[in-house]
Amino acid sequence: MPIKNQSSLTDTLCPQHEISGQASHAGAGVNAKIGCSKQGGRPLSTPARAGVVANFHLSHAERVVAIGELHIDLDRDQLEALLSTDAFILKLMQSYQGTGELPDWAKFVSPAMKQYFRLHLLCTKPDAKTVTIRLDHNSAEAALAAQRGPANHLAEIIKRTLKKLGIETDLAFNLEFNHTGSTENHPLHIHGAFCIPDVRVAEVSEALRRALALGYRQRYTNLAVHIEKPRSAHWWAAYCVKEYTVTASRLEAERRQKKRPDYSLQSLTQEAKAFYEEISAWLNIK
């Protein structure tokens, strides 16, 4: 029985996706400055490290399912091979990450890393799609002026647009500003993920373009709305949060108040927390 997601360590150790120390700890909670020595396990404080451990945990979960489908007598050789592989991977990850429970989600995981886990998990779901929306000037300025904050404002438009098409889905995204200096298109754009059937990608793309990017002028291959299947859950999640701190600082400077540069459904946050805690329990197996 083939086992998927046997990613090598080097596949997910991407230096360009590291978050700075400021992003890793800013806003992580009231006890964020307390040393993690009081926690037990080493923190998954960057997308690169989190991606390695999360991917191997997902492969462990698949092996658990595969093992459960085998007959203890009829599939003995295959069962022993899977158990041996699982034990080896666990030992490898404990050597890489260390043993002990991971630091508490609420107190010690930064907002950027929480969003990373949400997006990573979302991109592993059935019908998952990555989405980039390059906002036109009207949509971007309306979002930046919105009382509830730009992320919440744009999320409501996206959800309303999808609902008109009869689609309800998990949704998570990050805001980001491009650095080209061009004023032809607004620099504010969205990178995120949701779940929609393959056959509805064109329809959803056009609906979102009309709702948020009708005035966007395409240059080269930069579509107003780009939706596709995730090539790598880790890579996309890391890409979405790569400028979390920079975007948060710019939003605060422009609005003179703190507003989060990300959006996620509360239900997805709960799932991501459970995902994180499952990884923690796995690493702590003796």
Side-chain angles (χ1 to χ4, degrees):
M1 182 176 298
I3 302 297
K4 299 178 183 178
N5 290 331
Q6 293 288 344
S7 303
S8 68
L9 291 175
T10 54
D11 286 341
T12 50
L13 287 174
C14 303
Q16 63 268 34
H17 294 146
E18 292 279 350
I19 291 180
S20 68
Q22 179 183 0
S24 298
H25 299 290
V30 293
N31 295 320
K33 294 182 180 180
I34 298 176
C36 288
S37 59
K38 293 185 179 181
Q39 298 307 302
R42 183 179 184 182
L44 296 174
S45 56
T46 67
R49 175 164 293 275
V52 170
V53 178
N55 280 340
F56 277 105
H57 175 264
L58 288 171
S59 73
H60 157 72
E62 290 192 353
R63 279 190 295 276
V64 169
V65 172
I67 289 169
E69 294 174 349
L70 295 177
H71 191 284
I72 192 169
D73 294 318
L74 300 179
D75 304 304
R76 183 175 297 276
D77 290 345
Q78 196 170 5
L79 181 61
E80 289 180 354
L82 285 172
L83 289 171
S84 177
T85 298
D86 203 52
F88 172 78
I89 293 300
L90 175 58
K91 184 175 290 187
L92 177 66
M93 285 297 95
Q94 288 175 334
S95 175
Y96 173 72
Q97 174 61 23
T99 56
E101 294 182 358
L102 295 176
D104 181 73
W105 170 273
K107 294 181 179 179
F108 294 98
V109 181
S110 72
M113 286 305 301
K114 287 178 180 175
Q115 183 71 345
Y116 168 85
F117 278 104
R118 296 182 193 108
L119 285 159
H120 190 135
L121 181 62
L122 181 52
C123 285
T124 66
K125 292 191 174 189
D127 287 331
K129 301 291 184 296
T130 66
V131 57
T132 293
I133 304 175
R134 297 178 173 90
L135 305 169
D136 60 28
H137 282 278
N138 290 339
S139 297
E141 293 301 330
L144 290 171
Q147 185 64 31
R148 294 186 60 200
N152 284 328
H153 173 83
L154 293 168
E156 288 305 314
I157 295 175
I158 293 171
K159 290 189 292 184
R160 187 164 60 246
T161 301
L162 294 176
K163 189 173 183 178
K164 288 179 180 178
L165 299 177
I167 298 173
E168 292 191 13
T169 174
D170 287 326
L171 172 67
F173 63 80
N174 271 59
L175 302 178
E176 190 175 294
F177 293 91
N178 67 42
H179 307 291
T180 63
S182 172
T183 58
E184 181 180 28
N185 290 307
H186 200 282
L188 187 65
H189 57 283
I190 291 171
H191 293 305
F194 49 32
C195 298
I196 61 171
D198 294 349
V199 296
R200 307 204 67 180
V201 167
E203 178 187 12
V204 169
S205 296
E206 178 60 19
L208 290 175
R209 186 188 72 84
R210 290 182 176 278
L212 291 170
L214 192 60
Y216 174 83
R217 296 186 180 182
Q218 182 179 340
R219 289 293 177 263
Y220 308 106
T221 59
N222 291 329
L223 299 174
V225 179
H226 185 200
I227 300 174
E228 65 178 357
K229 293 181 180 180
R231 301 178 186 181
S232 162
H234 158 68
W235 185 90
W236 185 251
Y239 185 79
C240 289
V241 302
K242 68 184 185 299
E243 295 201 3
Y244 192 103
T245 301
V246 173
T247 305
S249 297
R250 179 164 175 177
L251 289 176
E252 183 176 355
E254 292 188 2
R255 295 174 55 89
R256 296 182 181 178
Q257 57 179 312
K258 290 185 178 181
K259 290 294 181 182
R260 294 274 294 272
D262 63 332
Y263 174 84
S264 174
L265 293 177
Q266 183 61 32
S267 58
L268 185 58
T269 296
Q270 294 169 350
E271 290 181 44
K273 179 177 181 289
F275 178 48
Y276 176 86
E277 290 173 348
E278 288 168 4
I279 295 172
S280 178
W282 177 58
L283 290 171
N284 205 33
I285 293 175
K286 298 297 188 291

